[in-house]
Amino acid sequence: MSAFSLSNTNATAQSNTPGDITKDVVLNNPPEDGISDVSFSPTHDFLALASWDKQVRIYEVSATGESKPQAKIDHEGPVFACCWSKDGTKVVGAGADKAARMLDLQTNATTQVAEHAEPIRCARFVEVNGAAGPILVTGSWDKTVKYWDLRQHQAIANLDCQERVYTLDSRNKLLVIGTADRYINIVNLDRPGEFYKTIQSPLKWQTRVVSCFTDATGFAVGSIEGRCAIQYVEEKDASANFSFKCHRQTPPNSLNVANVYSVNAISFHPEHGTFSTAGSDGTFHFWDGNAKHRLKGYPEVGGTISATAFNRTGSIFAYAVSYDWSKGYAMNTPQTPIKLMLHPVQPDECKPRPKPAGKR
């Protein structure tokens, strides 16, 4: 059931006014092939991009959007994921070469830190009690999730999933894993070697992305059907679960027909806890999940959006305009745009909707 609504005239007018992308800044020296993942450093003004051109690139990004390449990680195949260590000193890329490789920014040394039997689709650094150093989690099309201590060559633990891993995300002690056949596995990282809970996605079609709430009480799910779901971990909060339609277009003079697009990326604002969705329709939107309200929608950006991220303060929203393979290989032509845009987030764009007077 679609639960987002626009419940008063002022809110409707504000959210229906298209957002401004005229001040968005293009990243200098972008990758030469499609961008598959985007990740900001949690401690510095650095941005990592994973690309099909077999590289992870690291850029320095100023508050005004000026950018400069700083480093890169070379892979032996397309790179599907990139992530940062919690202290911002290490960047990891993972992808089709079945390996994860880490760049230590303090030593400028690159090392292989993980391997799977099949391509690695996603990677995150996680918090595990008792660990002496950073722990990396990788999810693969070989249907496993593995934990890696960066000082060792073998995985320290693994989880066998029901199907290929398509997406995962982590926040605090929460790890959420989305696989083929719509399985979603939830892990409490106090007990990392087992599933805390397994559910079927509340959405009816293939999962594209999961993204954890900033307070780690739940997660958002995006699918290929132009829908997003808000899902809490604990049963006591189940009444707050809901889903809604997004990234759909109604052709002119076709009121009973809708073009449905994949939701490729969901990113939570680090300060406000509101979130973005972006999709194959080439648009992005900001939402207030607690108020079930769209804060702002933006016009089409000239191509599909494959990945998004907020910087550590929430003042910059990065979105990759890049082919997402939603229409097959034949549609990936030399004219397909490949660029990373930096959107300066205005104070009112991502703030939660004010609560009505008299409500807590």
Side-chain angles (χ1 to χ4, degrees):
M1 180 178 68
S2 180
F4 266 80
S5 62
L6 305 170
S7 56
N8 64 57
T9 303
N10 290 335
T12 301
Q14 180 181 10
S15 61
N16 283 345
T17 303
D20 184 12
I21 59 173
T22 61
K23 298 180 177 63
D24 294 3
V25 179
V26 65
L27 188 80
N28 293 324
N29 303 112
E32 298 173 1
D33 205 340
I35 301 169
S36 50
D37 200 10
V38 179
S39 181
F40 275 102
S41 166
T43 60
H44 298 87
D45 296 322
F46 292 131
L47 172 67
L49 301 185
S51 171
W52 282 73
D53 68 3
K54 306 180 184 180
Q55 289 187 340
V56 174
R57 290 173 171 80
I58 295 93
Y59 302 80
E60 184 176 10
V61 178
S62 72
T64 59
E66 297 176 358
S67 55
K68 182 170 63 174
Q70 293 291 327
K72 66 179 181 178
I73 306 172
D74 291 316
H75 281 253
E76 297 175 3
V79 190
F80 298 149
C82 58
C83 63
W84 293 83
S85 61
K86 304 298 181 184
D87 63 1
T89 64
K90 300 173 180 63
V91 187
V92 165
D97 59 2
K98 308 176 186 178
R101 305 175 195 275
M102 181 184 73
L103 172 65
D104 188 323
L105 295 180
Q106 296 176 319
T107 64
N108 206 34
T110 299
T111 54
Q112 182 174 328
V113 292
E115 63 179 354
H116 280 259
E118 297 293 340
I120 301 174
R121 181 61 184 87
C122 35
R124 288 288 188 277
F125 281 94
V126 298
E127 301 175 10
V128 176
N129 282 342
I135 300 297
L136 177 71
V137 167
T138 53
S140 169
W141 292 343
D142 66 9
K143 306 181 184 180
T144 68
V145 168
K146 296 185 177 183
Y147 297 85
W148 305 88
D149 183 325
L150 302 182
R151 302 165 301 171
Q152 302 181 26
H153 296 296
Q154 300 295 323
I156 59 173
N158 70 277
L159 294 165
D160 292 323
C161 297
Q162 303 85 351
E163 252 291 353
R164 291 153 293 166
V165 177
Y166 284 166
T167 176
L168 64 76
D169 194 26
S170 179
R171 179 81 63 164
N172 301 338
K173 297 298 182 180
L174 176 64
L175 173 65
V176 181
I177 305 157
T179 77
D181 288 348
R182 300 173 42 246
Y183 288 102
I184 295 178
N185 298 306
I186 300 166
V187 179
N188 178 348
L189 288 169
D190 284 334
R191 304 183 70 175
E194 62 185 56
F195 296 139
Y196 174 69
K197 184 184 294 186
T198 295
I199 64 172
Q200 289 285 140
S201 169
L203 306 178
K204 295 180 180 180
W205 296 91
Q206 177 182 305
T207 302
R208 283 286 288 153
V209 60
V210 296
S211 183
C212 295
F213 299 170
T214 53
D215 64 3
T217 59
F219 53 93
V221 185
S223 75
I224 63 170
E225 66 189 286
R227 277 184 182 271
C228 180
I230 298 298
Q231 192 78 18
Y232 286 82
V233 172
E234 302 298 341
E235 287 299 323
K236 64 181 179 64
D237 301 318
S239 61
N241 295 340
F242 66 95
S243 65
F244 60 96
K245 297 177 182 178
C246 54
H247 300 283
R248 300 183 176 206
Q249 297 177 359
T250 301
N253 304 317
S254 302
L255 296 179
N256 296 323
V257 176
N259 293 327
V260 179
Y261 297 88
S262 172
V263 179
N264 293 330
I266 300 172
S267 299
F268 279 85
H269 191 280
E271 178 181 348
H272 300 309
T274 52
F275 64 95
S276 65
T277 63
S280 297
D281 60 340
T283 70
F284 64 92
H285 306 263
F286 295 148
W287 309 87
D288 181 346
N290 291 329
K292 299 181 180 179
H293 177 75
R294 189 181 74 164
L295 297 170
K296 184 69 71 174
Y298 296 80
E300 293 184 38
V301 299
T304 58
I305 300 177
S306 58
T308 63
F310 286 101
N311 71 342
R312 70 186 193 278
T313 62
S315 61
I316 297 175
F317 177 71
Y319 59 94
V321 183
S322 175
Y323 189 53
D324 62 356
W325 303 99
S326 59
K327 294 184 178 180
Y329 74 90
M331 299 301 293
N332 187 25
T333 68
Q335 290 73 43
T336 302
I338 301 171
K339 59 184 178 179
L340 190 287
M341 302 300 297
L342 300 167
H343 174 76
V345 178
Q346 301 304 311
D348 63 338
E349 286 183 303
C350 290
K351 280 187 178 180
R353 184 183 178 189
K355 294 181 179 180
K359 288 191 176 183
R360 294 186 177 180

